[in-house]
Amino acid sequence: MACAEPNSELTLHSVRESLIRQEDTIIFSLIERAKYPRNSPAYEQSYASIPGFSGSLLQYIVKQSEALQATAGRYENPEEHPFFPDNLPRSLVPPYNYPPVLHHAATSININKIIWDMYLNQLLPLFVADGDDGNYASTAASDLECLQALSRRIHYGKYVAEVKFRDAPQDYEPAIRAKDRDALMKLLTFENVEELVKKRVEKKAMIFGQEVSLGNGHKGANYKVDPSVVSKLYGDWIMPFTKLVQVEYLLRRLD
């Protein structure tokens, strides 16, 4: 049975503005994480040994942080997605009336397991230095900021898919009814736009992450996070994962 049609407050302009602002958040979170070296013990279960908990220090900090934030209503916001959704405590604060812009099936889509694996095993080695300075809790807290920023941006694909569907339902409905993932992915892919996004985030990383000197000139190409890594993050993971979320959402859009 189809749900009531979402309201019309969502626009292509508002979606684009949000995506651009989220670029800033992601880049700054990477810059903050890059202050610390790899600090591998933060990710090893053998290091933490926390009574009553089985997992790494990062898993512990993320899980405990999410539980606390859940009581403050964070996950009542449809833009937020927990990495440990099972048994989260209920919100203890008065609910906010978020505009019902998404189809009800949106709540069933959460790809944070994929994001977690990508961040730890593929992205992190690209922008943090090898080494161990003992700041494991601070490192894990920075990881949490990165993970939440990436999750919010990627799952925002639900909003992107909704606004695209509203603009041209006749283009999407045949592929949705046929459950044709490839056709949907083709409809959602605009290579020229993706190239512009990669260039924009690379330039932002150069500006936000440059070493500033009060002397004559700049220090050259010395950045807190390699701008090419940010471009790669968007090209190899953020945009493909966002389109994955879009496809999963659209496949449920007519339910």
Side-chain angles (χ1 to χ4, degrees):
M1 180 178 179
C3 72
E5 187 67 18
N7 68 29
S8 58
E9 293 182 16
L10 194 68
T11 67
L12 183 59
H13 176 74
S14 68
V15 166
R16 285 175 174 166
E17 287 294 304
S18 179
L19 293 176
I20 290 172
R21 289 294 301 272
Q22 288 182 63
E23 293 169 3
D24 303 353
T25 303
I26 289 171
I27 293 168
F28 281 120
S29 71
L30 297 179
I31 290 172
E32 285 298 301
R33 175 59 184 88
K35 293 192 304 186
Y36 305 102
R38 185 65 183 270
N39 284 339
S40 296
Y43 314 108
E44 298 169 357
Q45 183 172 341
S46 59
Y47 167 76
S49 300
I50 297 170
F53 181 81
S54 177
S56 67
L57 181 63
L58 175 62
Q59 289 172 317
Y60 178 77
I61 286 179
V62 172
K63 190 169 185 178
Q64 295 299 315
S65 297
E66 288 186 342
L68 176 61
Q69 291 170 359
T71 65
R74 179 173 188 139
Y75 300 107
E76 303 299 310
N77 184 341
E79 294 183 24
E80 302 288 353
H81 298 73
F83 284 86
F84 295 92
D86 295 337
N87 301 316
L88 276 179
R90 296 177 61 184
S91 174
L92 302 178
V93 301
Y96 179 79
N97 187 26
Y98 291 100
V101 298
L102 297 177
H103 187 276
H104 66 79
T107 58
S108 66
I109 301 168
N110 184 333
I111 66 164
N112 273 343
K113 288 183 179 179
I114 297 173
I115 296 170
W116 180 283
D117 180 71
M118 175 277 290
Y119 176 77
L120 290 182
N121 298 316
Q122 295 175 279
L123 177 61
L124 198 58
L126 297 180
F127 78 97
V128 298
D130 290 332
D132 186 332
D133 67 0
N135 288 303
Y136 306 140
S138 296
T139 294
S142 290
D143 286 324
L144 172 61
E145 292 295 322
C146 290
L147 286 164
Q148 289 180 328
L150 290 168
S151 175
R152 188 181 306 111
R153 168 59 180 81
I154 290 166
H155 286 100
Y156 206 78
K158 299 175 188 180
Y159 293 86
V160 177
E162 177 62 31
V163 76
K164 288 182 177 180
F165 177 85
R166 291 190 199 180
D167 283 350
Q170 70 281 358
D171 293 341
Y172 291 94
E173 286 186 6
I176 295 171
R177 296 186 191 282
K179 303 298 182 184
D180 191 336
R181 294 174 180 271
D182 291 338
L184 289 172
M185 187 63 72
K186 187 175 181 179
L187 285 168
L188 295 165
T189 300
F190 298 90
E191 293 183 0
N192 59 328
V193 174
E194 293 179 6
E195 285 301 315
L196 287 174
V197 171
K198 288 167 60 179
K199 290 178 181 178
R200 183 173 64 235
V201 297
E202 184 170 6
K203 186 172 183 179
K204 283 186 176 183
M206 293 173 67
I207 295 171
F208 299 164
Q210 63 183 308
E211 297 287 354
V212 177
S213 171
L214 295 180
N216 295 325
H218 298 290
K219 292 185 177 181
N222 186 17
Y223 303 108
K224 297 179 178 72
V225 171
D226 185 344
S228 67
V229 170
V230 180
S231 177
K232 179 179 176 64
L233 167 61
Y234 266 78
D236 289 4
W237 298 303
I238 288 180
M239 289 189 288
F241 288 177
T242 301
K243 287 190 288 186
L244 173 61
V245 168
Q246 291 182 62
V247 169
E248 293 303 317
Y249 177 81
L250 288 170
L251 286 172
R252 298 164 170 82
R253 182 58 178 77
L254 300 179
D255 292 351

